[in-house]
């Protein structure tokens, strides 16, 4: 298995632009997680899905952030409009059958908003 | 909510030494704990976990100790190698639903 796949690996955009991050979880995993990592706040859970259904989005910073999982093999995290404070590394992770199963992380997307 | 903290932001050791990375948590009801390793430019990687009904668990060159009385856990790495250089996070399962990660400790191993 190729592991969790994220794209793009790096994204540089200007303030106000829409940004879409993509994730392909490990096949057969029921749970998908989106995290954000910054030096100031560390690794924060934004939202997670179970069988494509959002379960907890309490970590989503504000309405500018949205996430979807249209099918078991694909998820997106969208920021519209983007702001410089959104600059961070965004990780997607998946786990097999529960949130406390080992979570496998993707390589992350480094987002820079100018 | 859960808060997880680390005592030291950076730990420098010599190759071959044993390393100990510490983590404190605040919720006495927490019952599942995990250590992750994050190498530069990569996502976190699971190392070892422990449940609250245990106070010690061993893996390959790693041992996790849990002290529920003082709400503290530690990761011990035996015979530390340069490849162990990374940031190490403890994480606590909150409400049986999501992991709360600590801020991380950077381990630097010099040859």
């Amino acid at each position: 298995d190729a592991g969790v796949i994220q794209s793009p690996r790096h994204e540089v955009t200007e303030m106000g632009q829409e940004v879409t991050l993509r994730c392909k979880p490990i096949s057969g995993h029921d749970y998908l997680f989106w995290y954000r990592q910054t030096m100031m706040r560390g690794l924060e859970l934004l939202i997670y899905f179970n069988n494509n259904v959002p379960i907890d989005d309490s970590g989503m910073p504000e309405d500018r952030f949205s996430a979807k999982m249209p099918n078991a093999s694909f998820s997106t995290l969208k920021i519209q409009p983007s702001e410089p404070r959104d600059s961070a590394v965004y990780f997607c992770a998946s786990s097999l059958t529960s949130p406390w199963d080992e979570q496998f992380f993707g390589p992350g997307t480094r987002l820079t908003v100018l | 909510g859960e808060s997880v903290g680390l005592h030291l932001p950076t730990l420098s050791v010599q190759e071959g030494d044993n390393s100990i990375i510490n983590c404190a948590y605040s919720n006495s009801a927490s019952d599942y704990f995990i250590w992750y390793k994050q190498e530069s430019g990569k996502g976190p990687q699971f190392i070892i976990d422990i449940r609250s009904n245990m106070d010690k668990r061993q893996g390959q060159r790693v041992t996790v100790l849990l002290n529920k009385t003082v709400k503290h856990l530690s990761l011990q790495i035996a015979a530390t190698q340069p490849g162990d250089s990374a940031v190490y996070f403890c994480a606590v399962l909150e409400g049986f639903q999501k992991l709360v990660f600590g801020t991380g400790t950077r381990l630097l191993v010099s040859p």
Side-chain angles (χ1 to χ4, degrees):
Chain A
D1 198 316
V4 175
I5 299 173
Q6 291 186 246
S7 65
R9 292 295 309 277
H10 302 275
E11 177 79 35
V12 180
T13 190
E14 292 187 344
M15 181 174 62
Q17 296 298 306
E18 177 180 294
V19 175
T20 300
L21 311 181
R22 297 172 175 80
C23 175
K24 178 179 178 359
I26 293 173
S27 178
H29 281 196
D30 290 342
Y31 283 79
L32 183 140
F33 309 83
W34 282 102
Y35 290 89
R36 177 173 68 176
Q37 186 174 42
T38 62
M39 289 297 294
M40 292 298 295
R41 301 176 65 88
L43 197 60
E44 304 173 280
L45 178 65
L46 300 178
I47 185 171
Y48 76 93
F49 296 81
N50 177 24
N51 291 322
N52 315 336
V53 176
I55 301 301
D56 186 342
D57 66 354
S58 60
M60 296 286 262
E62 48 198 275
D63 292 345
R64 299 184 296 106
F65 286 69
S66 62
K68 294 181 180 180
M69 192 166 185
N71 58 62
S73 60
F74 184 66
S75 177
T76 60
L77 178 67
K78 185 175 294 186
I79 308 172
Q80 166 63 20
S82 58
E83 297 182 3
R85 61 193 169 118
D86 301 329
S87 297
V89 181
Y90 291 81
F91 288 102
C92 176
S94 68
S95 65
L96 190 56
T97 60
S98 69
W100 53 88
D101 283 336
E102 178 179 349
Q103 293 187 20
F104 293 82
F105 283 75
T109 295
R110 181 174 295 278
L111 173 64
T112 302
V113 183
L114 303 175
Chain B
E2 185 64 71
S3 67
V4 183
L6 290 162
H7 296 301
L8 294 173
T10 303
L11 176 64
S12 297
V13 301
Q14 294 283 330
E15 181 178 1
D17 289 350
N18 296 332
S19 302
I20 300 176
I21 300 171
N22 298 302
C23 180
Y25 61 97
S26 60
N27 188 346
S28 57
S30 299
D31 72 345
Y32 182 58
F33 309 86
I34 311 172
W35 282 98
Y36 278 84
K37 172 186 180 182
Q38 186 175 22
E39 297 177 73
S40 180
K42 297 182 179 180
Q45 182 180 14
F46 174 95
I47 301 173
I48 191 168
D49 61 356
I50 188 169
R51 298 196 179 275
S52 59
N53 60 351
M54 304 171 69
D55 53 21
K56 180 179 180 179
R57 191 167 187 217
Q58 290 183 292
Q60 188 175 14
R61 285 201 303 117
V62 295
T63 300
V64 56
L65 299 178
L66 176 63
N67 185 330
K68 296 179 289 294
T69 302
V70 296
K71 292 180 285 187
H72 179 273
L73 70 158
S74 66
L75 177 70
Q76 301 179 359
I77 305 174
T80 313
Q81 303 169 359
D84 295 327
S85 294
V87 176
Y88 290 81
F89 296 92
C90 66
V92 178
L93 185 67
E94 178 180 286
F96 299 99
Q97 289 196 37
K98 60 185 181 183
L99 291 180
V100 176
F101 283 79
T103 53
T105 293
R106 182 175 301 280
L107 176 65
L108 298 175
V109 183
S110 49

